[in-house]
Amino acid sequence: YLQGTMWQPNAYLTLSDGVTPRPALTWLNCYMAGGTNCPVPTYVPQPHNGNCAGITLKAPEFDTANGLIAAGNVVAYANDGSWFGFNQVAFQNNWKALNVSYAHNVTWTNPPSLTIHLGSLSSAPVATVALPVTGDWSTLKTVTVPWTPIAGARDVFVKFNGAGANVASIQFAAPVTAPNVVQNGT
């Protein structure tokens, strides 16, 4: 319950001093004491910020989800139609690749893929990522597809299609540039 001791960095109820409550704990204490007009804290989600190289969104740290669970370093037990999302991802217009780290070992009749939706789950997908078999449910592989650069903060939804897989992360990245190599003294 203490700041700095939770697996989710913002899930704590008390500051690290062990005394100062966060607004959620103030509400909970009021409610448990029989209060009927307890002040509900205002939640303002913080944007997910990356840098010029990109941003990695760890799947089990989703902001919203349906039909799956966070299981260690992956989301698991997903099926066709399951999804997870991140609120306010601050995109940079030099990110040109979408990388998905995942695992699964079943040859499905309808192989799994992920679609990426911006704004809402009902919006048209802006990217589709096929997920070939990786060998087993714990051997992570990364597949990369082109990403059309955008700028500004958007909600991002990741939807499973056809079947499920264990997903560890999605990453929006800038192209990697090779360093200048000096050859023959030039």
Side-chain angles (χ1 to χ4, degrees):
Y1 65 95
L2 289 173
Q3 180 181 20
T5 64
M6 304 292 295
W7 74 278
Q8 286 281 9
N10 293 318
Y12 58 94
L13 295 174
T14 303
L15 297 182
S16 58
D17 64 11
V19 178
T20 309
R22 290 186 68 197
L25 183 57
T26 302
W27 177 88
L28 187 59
N29 287 335
C30 175
Y31 178 80
M32 294 303 291
T36 57
N37 195 18
C38 302
V40 176
T42 302
Y43 172 69
V44 179
Q46 296 300 306
H48 296 274
N49 292 306
N51 57 34
C52 62
I55 187 170
T56 299
L57 301 169
K58 295 179 181 178
E61 296 176 5
F62 56 77
D63 294 320
T64 57
N66 184 53
L68 50 76
I69 64 167
N73 67 339
V74 297
V75 292
Y77 302 103
N79 291 299
D80 183 38
S82 297
W83 60 269
F84 61 97
F86 296 93
N87 298 328
Q88 297 301 298
V89 176
F91 285 91
Q92 294 188 21
N93 62 8
N94 67 317
W95 299 346
K96 296 181 181 180
L98 168 60
N99 305 312
V100 176
S101 179
Y102 73 97
H104 81 84
N105 76 340
V106 178
T107 304
W108 305 97
T109 304
N110 193 6
S113 67
L114 298 177
T115 49
I116 308 299
H117 305 258
L118 299 178
S120 77
L121 196 58
S122 61
S123 63
V126 294
T128 300
V129 182
L131 304 176
V133 173
T134 63
D136 62 55
W137 288 98
S138 61
T139 300
L140 294 173
K141 293 197 176 176
T142 300
V143 63
T144 301
V145 297
W147 176 255
T148 302
I150 60 172
R154 308 276 170 68
D155 293 343
V156 175
F157 296 89
V158 181
K159 181 180 175 189
F160 290 84
N161 302 286
N166 291 348
V167 175
S169 65
I170 62 171
Q171 178 189 53
F172 299 95
V176 177
T177 56
N180 292 334
V181 177
V182 176
Q183 294 180 355
N184 299 330
T186 58

